[in-house]
Amino acid sequence: MAQNDNVKVLKVTLIVFAVILLVYGFGFLFVPDLLVKLSGGNPVEFGWLRWSGGVIMALGIGCLMVSSKPEKQGIFVTSMTLVSLFTGLGMLYSWIMQEFSAATWFIALPTCLALAISCLLWWGRGQAKGIL
């Protein structure tokens, strides 16, 4: 029972991260024009967004798959932890350096989400290290 409780944080965080990745991935892959309009940012070639949408969606599907059976998936969990950390830090840098032309909320929200998910994944990874 205690081991199940230790894995619960990791499983829930992977599911939450999967939902976030799938939403952003879907947007970048299928409706990049809508995301650019919502952001209020400068126009961009949609091809630059679509390829990343496919990658983001694949990572989301991977998170869903691993959340159902995280045993011996330490490499994937660590990779997703680093994905969220580097994503959050990269967006934070762009936000601080004012490299972003869109509305502030459009960079603030994903920056905070990525860094929060990173913290939760580090915590869940530590709790579940016995099975990873």
Side-chain angles (χ1 to χ4, degrees):
M1 183 67 176
Q3 185 177 4
N4 196 20
D5 289 341
N6 290 342
V7 178
K8 192 173 193 173
V9 171
L10 178 62
K11 286 183 174 187
V12 169
T13 304
L14 283 169
I15 290 169
V16 170
F17 193 32
V19 170
I20 292 168
L21 290 171
L22 289 170
V23 167
Y24 274 96
F26 181 86
F28 284 130
L29 184 60
F30 296 111
V31 288
D33 56 327
L34 177 64
L35 289 179
V36 171
K37 286 177 188 172
L38 278 174
S39 77
N42 294 330
V44 65
E45 299 281 338
F46 297 145
W48 289 109
L49 300 176
R50 288 191 198 279
W51 77 267
S52 61
V55 172
I56 294 168
M57 285 187 68
L59 293 174
I61 292 167
C63 285
L64 285 177
M65 293 168 62
V66 169
S67 72
S68 65
K69 191 169 171 41
E71 293 80 10
K72 300 188 192 280
Q73 297 296 325
I75 292 172
F76 183 84
V77 171
T78 301
S79 296
M80 291 303 95
T81 304
L82 293 172
V83 163
S84 58
L85 176 65
F86 294 153
T87 298
L89 291 176
M91 288 189 299
L92 181 62
Y93 179 83
S94 289
W95 187 8
I96 291 169
M97 300 306 287
Q98 299 179 350
E99 298 176 334
F100 203 72
S101 65
T104 301
W105 73 269
F106 211 76
I107 194 167
L109 179 64
T111 300
C112 294
L113 280 173
L115 293 173
I117 289 292
S118 179
C119 291
L120 288 170
L121 282 169
W122 283 112
W123 180 39
R125 182 179 166 274
Q127 294 287 315
K129 66 182 172 189
I131 65 154
L132 294 177

